[in-house]
Amino acid sequence: MDGHERVFDWLDTEAEKRAKAGLTRKLRPRAAASDELDLAGNDYLGLARDKRVAGAAAAAALRWGAGSTGSRLVTGSTELHTELEHELARFCGFQAALVFSSGFTANLGAVTTLSGGESAIVTDKYIHASLIEGCRLARTDVAAVAHADPDAVKHALSTRRKDRALVVTDSVFSVDGDLAPLNQLSQVCREHNAALLVDDAHGLGVLGEGGRGALNAAGLAGEPDIVATVTLSKSLGAQGGAVLGPRRVIKHLVETARSFIFDTGLAPAAAAAALAALGVLKSEPDLPQKVLNNSTRLADHLRGNGFRVSEPQAAVVSVQAPTPEDAVEWAARCAEQGVRVGCFRPPSVPDGISRLRLTARADLTDGDIDTAVKVISECAPPSATS
């Protein structure tokens, strides 16, 4: 074999390592219509297939075209984007918003533009991968401290070497679904002259008054030293992300965030879908409570069957698995029985514990939950119960 045909041989070695560690990942395309009970996706309010939401997307595609045609600063901004930003900011209680093509790019833009070489970053060690990548790209001092520990954040801020500081956290952590202590973190930030950036991807549509998010629930929405990021792909059933904050922060992002300036704008159909979903949430403010009720019921039933289950504080319920291989096999057996569950393994889980990750939706019935508990219990490996 010629040398040029072997340049990627190292990939085979890496694949073998992942296979031995039980970390092989595969794409599993789903059909448009399925009888599966979905507890794996993040469609918390059940709006991704809502006719009002999907219909708005279809109408926008016909009117505006399939794509946005360019970056937001060239031709990629439409009236839909502007309306969505206005409605998001008003609904969540912030001065302004900026829509990105994904929650990932929103987090990259927020972290990199609000930090930089003159600013230290202090993060919870369990933050989402997109925030971690933003910290890496910021090229500055980063301290990843103990999970949900305001005292650890306080120590890092008090010993920093930079004048400015940015504290970064999820509001609802995506693995176990636990909440960050936002009020305590805000107090620590103010004591040490630091800004607070909160990824509220799993809070929007689930927490706060009428689903206005975790910062609303904490009484911190719209504060001048706080910035939030959200995704449009979970509770709003669409695609895209946004940064919410003071007007001068949003202006700064428009002019400096590379993941905004050099990225094609969100497709008009996705913007219209998110806008329609936001309208549904406003008109049906009881939807978030249905999510919380279902997550509690799901967790209680599984815990009653002897599983090690997280205490749900939003839509996410996690069930610990003995090993990565057990988690994969457990999820596969559930899928064979018509229940789709998420499977989280290292490095996606920072504590190294593999899990089934379940997401409660507002549209789950009592029968759906009973079916899910029955299938998960019957498919479990023997050592999964405590």
Side-chain angles (χ1 to χ4, degrees), residues 47-246:
L47 296 180
R49 289 182 174 273
D50 186 287
K51 291 183 178 179
R52 293 164 291 184
V53 176
L62 289 173
R63 181 182 181 190
W64 295 96
S68 65
T69 75
S71 73
R72 292 285 309 277
L73 288 170
V74 184
T75 58
S77 279
T78 69
E79 294 168 357
L80 285 172
H81 294 87
T82 300
E83 184 179 0
L84 176 58
E85 288 164 347
H86 176 75
E87 292 300 322
L88 275 173
R90 186 166 66 174
F91 180 75
C92 295
F94 288 83
Q95 285 186 350
L98 186 66
V99 167
F100 286 69
S101 63
S102 70
F104 200 109
T105 55
N107 275 342
L108 288 183
V111 174
T112 55
T113 59
L114 298 178
S115 59
E118 301 302 316
S119 177
I121 299 176
V122 180
T123 80
D124 188 293
K125 69 176 182 178
Y126 287 0
I127 56 172
H128 190 265
S130 57
L131 295 170
I132 293 173
E133 290 305 311
C135 292
R136 289 171 176 169
L137 289 172
R139 298 178 182 177
T140 191
D141 296 347
V142 179
V145 302
H147 177 53
D149 188 342
D151 287 336
V153 174
K154 182 175 182 178
H155 175 74
L157 288 174
S158 64
T159 57
R160 71 183 191 260
R161 298 180 296 174
K162 308 283 187 177
D163 289 337
R164 299 202 315 266
L166 178 69
V167 173
V168 180
T169 185
D170 292 20
S171 63
V172 180
F173 291 89
S174 61
V175 174
D176 267 342
D178 55 323
L179 299 181
L182 294 179
N183 290 108
Q184 296 96 314
L185 289 174
S186 175
Q187 182 178 348
V188 168
C189 286
R190 288 172 180 175
E191 290 172 356
H192 294 274
N193 196 32
L196 178 60
L197 172 62
V198 179
D199 179 351
D200 203 21
H202 300 276
L204 177 65
V206 178
L207 302 177
E209 180 187 357
R212 285 169 170 80
L215 285 162
N216 171 277
L220 296 171
E223 291 295 304
D225 55 346
I226 293 177
V227 174
T229 59
V230 297
T231 179
L232 312 178
S233 61
K234 294 181 172 60
S235 287
L236 300 185
Q239 190 167 355
V243 180
L244 312 171

Side-chain angles (χ1 to χ4, degrees), residues 187-320:
Q187 182 178 348
V188 168
C189 286
R190 288 172 180 175
E191 290 172 356
H192 294 274
N193 196 32
L196 178 60
L197 172 62
V198 179
D199 179 351
D200 203 21
H202 300 276
L204 177 65
V206 178
L207 302 177
E209 180 187 357
R212 285 169 170 80
L215 285 162
N216 171 277
L220 296 171
E223 291 295 304
D225 55 346
I226 293 177
V227 174
T229 59
V230 297
T231 179
L232 312 178
S233 61
K234 294 181 172 60
S235 287
L236 300 185
Q239 190 167 355
V243 180
L244 312 171
R247 289 188 183 88
R248 58 182 175 175
V249 168
I250 301 306
K251 181 177 185 295
H252 181 67
L253 264 69
V254 169
E255 296 176 351
T256 64
R258 294 173 67 84
S259 62
F260 176 82
I261 297 170
F262 298 105
D263 189 31
T264 297
L266 181 68
L275 191 57
L278 197 59
V280 173
L281 181 54
K282 291 176 184 177
S283 66
E284 300 180 26
D286 60 329
L287 287 175
Q289 189 59 49
K290 291 181 179 179
V291 177
L292 297 174
N293 292 344
N294 285 339
S295 65
T296 298
R297 187 166 185 267
L298 183 60
D300 287 348
H301 280 50
L302 288 168
R303 194 178 296 109
N305 284 3
F307 297 106
R308 295 181 289 274
V309 183
S310 65
E311 189 66 41
Q313 295 177 297
V316 175
V317 177
S318 77
V319 186
Q320 291 189 14

